[in-house]
Amino acid sequence: MSAPGPALDRIGLLQELVRTSTVSGDAAAQRGVIGTVTDALRDRAPHLEVISGSDPDHPWALLRTPTDPGRPQLLLACHVDTVPVPDAGSWQRDPFGADLEEGRVWGRGGSDMKAGVVAAAAALATADPQHSVALLLTSDEEIGSRGAAAAAAAVADQRIGAVIVPEATGNQVVLGHRGALWLAVRTAGRASHGSTPERGHNAVLDLVGLLGRAGAQLPLRTDPFLGTETWNPGVVSGGTVPNVVPDRAEVVIDMRTVTDGEPLLRWWRDQPEVADVEVRVDLPPVGTPVEDPWVATLPAPVLRRPATYFTDASVLGRVVGGAPIVVWGPGTPAVMHAVDEYVELAELEAAAAAFADVVCSWAG
């Protein structure tokens, strides 16, 4: 069996990925980047087996060394999508220019998480073919880990011993994060002329009253590690023109959960103003014990606080049979989703080296 080939051009690949817009929902662009990474890896490690997803809307690929499938694998799980760039003019540099300046690559996705993709791919490229390791590339993580959900059955068919999700943590090991419950909550009224509002029923006013009450009454819970649950009414809509009493209103709410989201869902459904509740995203929280033996072997500091964001770990945790999962990768959390996003090249190189050490020492 052939040994791994030359080292991956990490900076060049990162720039190529950042130059390619892969906004969530753009399946073709994400499929193209998954193909770019796959091709770059197989050029250097032709022994890798590739399992590709057939979902046309949420592409994914699983690359693995051709070892005994019964051996536990170390899985590195990365998403290739990014959030949009709503106002490119507010950036100091082209958000898709991938400029290399000040020891950084600048652009959308640099930290979240194309540097993590490159570091993971570089580690897999150096792996001995006898090591039982794999790389999962997913799409549409930013809109609810939909690519990971599409790949879940294929991951469940593998025997997974541990999982690294190389999101931006400043190369510190993070042991978990809260879940996410996104709801579209709707109120219904009765339309009438705006000059005679007493003849109608204003759905917007119902929604305003509901949101005002939610802040005091939502049954938010607290976990010793994950912290307190939060809620954010992120999108509010209702009405059509000023002179019509609105008969429909909607709010899309982002709640970050520390356990089962059912009590929160039930609260919204039980409110008298609510006509309908649609679950848009329902992802469980993730946590790995700090005393886990594998965690103790990782060559990086372990944070005693969770990540603030969710990751594909919420989906993968359901199908990896209790294997430990950590979030650990290059990038600055403060610039994720922000204007003038970047990643430090020193962090990319350190992550690639650390992941390669973990891959080489994996005993699966």
Side-chain angles (χ1 to χ4, degrees):
M1 191 172 290
S2 60
L8 202 67
D9 177 6
R10 294 180 289 275
I11 296 174
L13 180 58
L14 175 60
Q15 288 182 293
E16 183 176 0
L17 299 189
V18 172
R19 289 186 184 114
T20 306
S21 173
T22 52
V23 174
S24 308
D26 187 342
Q30 293 177 84
R31 186 176 293 107
V33 159
I34 289 172
T36 296
V37 176
T38 298
D39 290 346
L41 257 176
R42 296 204 76 233
D43 281 348
R44 288 151 184 82
H47 59 275
L48 291 173
E49 297 175 346
V50 182
I51 304 170
S52 297
S54 59
D55 188 322
D57 298 319
H58 310 300
W60 58 270
L62 180 67
L63 293 84
R64 62 183 303 275
T65 51
T67 54
D68 180 354
R71 292 171 58 194
Q73 298 172 62
L74 172 65
L75 177 67
L76 297 105
C78 308
H79 70 86
V80 303
D81 61 311
T82 73
V83 295
V85 178
D87 181 12
S90 64
W91 288 58
Q92 296 182 41
R93 299 170 176 81
D94 180 353
F96 300 105
D99 295 340
L100 179 56
E101 297 177 8
E102 303 172 13
R104 300 168 171 172
V105 169
W106 297 80
R108 174 59 83 222
S111 275
D112 188 14
M113 64 171 296
K114 291 179 176 178
V117 172
V118 172
L124 194 65
T126 66
D128 187 291
Q130 297 302 315
H131 288 160
S132 186
V133 295
L135 172 64
L136 177 66
L137 301 170
T138 68
S139 59
D140 292 336
E141 184 267 356
E142 301 286 1
I143 54 175
S145 292
R146 297 178 181 178
V155 174
D157 284 342
Q158 315 294 314
R159 185 180 175 196
I160 305 299
V163 182
I164 297 171
V165 180
E167 292 273 11
T169 67
N171 282 339
Q172 300 178 93
V173 174
V174 175
L175 299 175
H177 54 74
R178 292 174 297 175
L181 179 64
W182 294 0
L183 305 177
V185 178
R186 304 182 182 102
T187 57
R190 184 174 63 256
S192 69
H193 198 286
S195 65
T196 55
E198 71 278 3
R199 295 179 180 175
H201 183 91
N202 193 309
V204 169
L205 292 180
D206 278 356
L207 186 61
V208 169
L210 171 64
L211 293 177
R213 190 169 67 251
Q217 296 186 9
L218 267 172
L220 302 175
R221 296 149 298 180
T222 299
D223 177 86
F225 173 63
L226 297 174
T228 300
E229 294 177 325
T230 59
W231 75 290
N232 176 57
V235 181
V236 179
S237 58
T240 53
V241 292
N243 57 342
V244 173
V245 172
D247 63 356
R248 297 286 291 175
E250 177 184 276
V251 58
V252 182
I253 301 160
D254 174 358
M255 291 181 288
R256 299 304 167 104
T257 58
V258 301
T259 185
D260 177 21
E262 180 59 32
L264 294 169
L265 175 59
R266 185 168 56 249
W267 187 90
W268 289 104
R269 285 177 169 162
D270 286 348
Q271 302 313 298
E273 302 94 337
V274 172
D276 178 55
V277 178
E278 176 192 350
V279 178
R280 297 274 180 89
V281 170
D282 187 5
L283 298 173
V286 175
T288 293
V290 68
E291 62 273 12
D292 181 271
W294 174 72
V295 169
T297 69
L298 299 178
V302 178
L303 284 183
R304 297 306 177 101
R305 62 180 183 274
T308 57
Y309 45 81
F310 70 76
T311 74
D312 280 342
S314 287
V315 171
L316 298 175
R318 295 166 167 164
V319 296
V320 296
I325 301 176
V326 298
V327 183
W328 172 32
T332 303
V335 303
M336 297 168 71
H337 300 192
V339 170
D340 297 323
E341 183 178 354
Y342 64 85
V343 67
E344 303 279 358
L345 290 180
E347 287 192 12
L348 168 64
E349 298 294 350
F355 292 168
D357 287 345
V358 174
V359 165
C360 290
S361 63
W362 179 250

